[in-house]
Amino acid sequence: MYDADDELLTRTHAIRTYAPEDFEGMRRAGRLVAEALDMIAAEVKPGITTGRIDDLIRQFTYDHGGLPACLGYKGYTRTTCTSINHVVCHGIPGDKVLKDGDIVNIDHTVVVDGWHGDSSRMYAVGQINPRARKLIDVTYESLRIGLEQVKPGNTFGDIGYAIQKYVEGQRMSVVRDFCGHGIGRIFHDSPNVLHYGRRGEGAELKPGMFFTVEPMVNLGKPAVKILSDGWTAVTRDKSLSAQCEHSVGVTEDGVEIFTASPAGLFRPN
Ligand code: MF3
Ligand code: CO
Ligand code: CO
């Protein structure tokens, strides 16, 4: 995901639409990132470090003909983002050891033949408490509800509105400082895909648009702050935060999810 303010300055060009044959490129990139996130599911257990997770995903990606898109991106030195508990996004993998009861988002982006596949999921470490479970469930449901709005003729505002309405109805909050983005041959492209908004606002969805939807949901208030490492975003009130992300394309009559899990492991058990 991307910093919304930064992008308002730079991401102002028209929204690209891709040709029908370009969907195949996105399918291959989306499948690889999904397979990497499937592979790591069995490894996310108490005792593993986030650095080890990152190493396994990087190796898997290279072994299967992909390149890690985040490695070297704006000076980022890792392959994935690993965001634990009150970390909203952009947690940097390292020596941190996962412990029973943690929830962790793993966000990975690959490049295959120039096409980007960007996805993230939540993973439950051992036994998690009911509040954490509920947060994860609401986050996944918000993505599903947002994607239900993806069809020609609807607008980006319809997606954001649907997500916000559902999440706030569950007495949780949607993070405003980061958003989804156009994707394709470019990692972070126009438009900003906000996870809040008003019906009918924003650009109209057209067949061949490729973008991510990646809502971040907090148990507490939506405000975030960035730690001194320049990347790690945490909730200001230290409440738990969760996220999930798909890369999708608009079809003639709806949506194609490029990053669906071949093994059915998109949601944690
Ligand atoms: N994968 C993230 C996204 O969803 C981007 C992470 S950029 C990084 O857009 F540099 F922090 F890795
Ligand atoms: Co993204
Ligand atoms: Co991502």
Side-chain angles (χ1 to χ4, degrees):
M1 80 281 352
Y2 221 60
D3 185 290
D5 292 332
D6 183 20
E7 288 312 298
L8 287 176
L9 300 174
T10 55
R11 207 190 286 162
T12 51
H13 62 79
I15 304 168
R16 262 170 251 281
T17 55
Y18 287 93
E21 58 268 27
D22 295 334
F23 279 71
E24 190 48 40
M26 290 300 284
R27 281 178 201 130
R28 282 187 290 130
R31 191 180 315 124
L32 179 54
V33 74
E35 285 167 350
L37 293 175
D38 283 352
M39 174 279 296
I40 209 66
E43 311 293 334
V44 182
K45 289 183 293 217
I48 194 170
T49 66
T50 52
R52 172 83 180 138
I53 288 171
D54 192 72
D55 290 343
L56 288 168
I57 290 182
R58 185 173 53 260
Q59 196 56 52
F60 183 94
T61 301
Y62 284 132
D63 288 348
H64 292 80
L67 295 172
C70 294
L71 187 58
Y73 179 81
K74 296 196 174 182
Y76 195 72
T77 60
R78 293 291 189 155
T79 292
T80 62
C81 297
T82 50
S83 302
I84 306 167
N85 297 338
H86 75 298
V87 179
V88 173
C89 62
H90 299 167
I92 304 172
D95 297 336
K96 185 103 184 158
V97 177
L98 295 182
K99 61 179 195 309
D100 189 62
D102 284 342
I103 60 170
V104 59
N105 176 276
I106 303 177
D107 191 343
H108 183 36
T109 309
V110 304
V111 192
V112 178
D113 291 338
W115 296 100
H116 290 77
D118 183 6
S119 184
S120 84
R121 304 179 190 169
M122 296 305 296
Y123 297 81
V125 183
Q127 281 299 115
I128 61 171
N129 71 39
R131 287 297 286 160
R133 168 58 58 187
K134 176 75 179 165
L135 171 65
I136 291 174
D137 288 347
V138 168
T139 304
Y140 276 80
E141 181 63 4
S142 78
L143 175 59
R144 193 193 67 73
I145 285 171
L147 293 179
E148 237 172 32
Q149 295 296 318
V150 179
K151 51 180 162 245
N154 277 5
T155 68
F156 283 95
D158 293 333
I159 301 172
Y161 171 82
I163 291 170
Q164 180 182 13
K165 182 167 184 285
Y166 170 70
V167 168
E168 292 179 355
Q170 299 296 315
R171 307 174 62 81
M172 297 182 193
S173 68
V174 175
V175 170
R176 314 298 169 97
D177 301 68
F178 299 95
C179 54
H181 48 90
I183 193 168
R185 291 203 171 276
I186 293 167
F187 185 0
H188 291 112
D189 204 354
S190 266
N192 288 326
V193 180
L194 306 183
H195 304 111
Y196 60 93
R198 296 188 199 180
R199 262 179 187 151
E201 284 191 350
E204 192 177 308
L205 302 175
K206 296 203 165 65
M209 286 181 175
F210 297 162
F211 54 88
T212 72
V213 182
E214 47 183 300
M216 284 141 277
V217 177
N218 297 347
L219 277 183
K221 296 207 163 68
V224 310
K225 66 177 181 189
I226 310 293
L227 301 187
S228 59
D229 60 26
W231 286 100
T232 311
V234 299
T235 54
R236 278 188 179 271
D237 63 8
K238 299 202 168 61
S239 66
L240 277 188
S241 185
Q243 180 178 27
C244 55
E245 174 177 25
H246 272 317
S247 296
V248 306
V250 183
T251 64
E252 291 300 325
D253 57 3
V255 62
E256 177 170 342
I257 298 174
F258 297 126
T259 46
S261 166
L265 296 174
F266 187 63
R267 292 178 74 137
N269 295 314

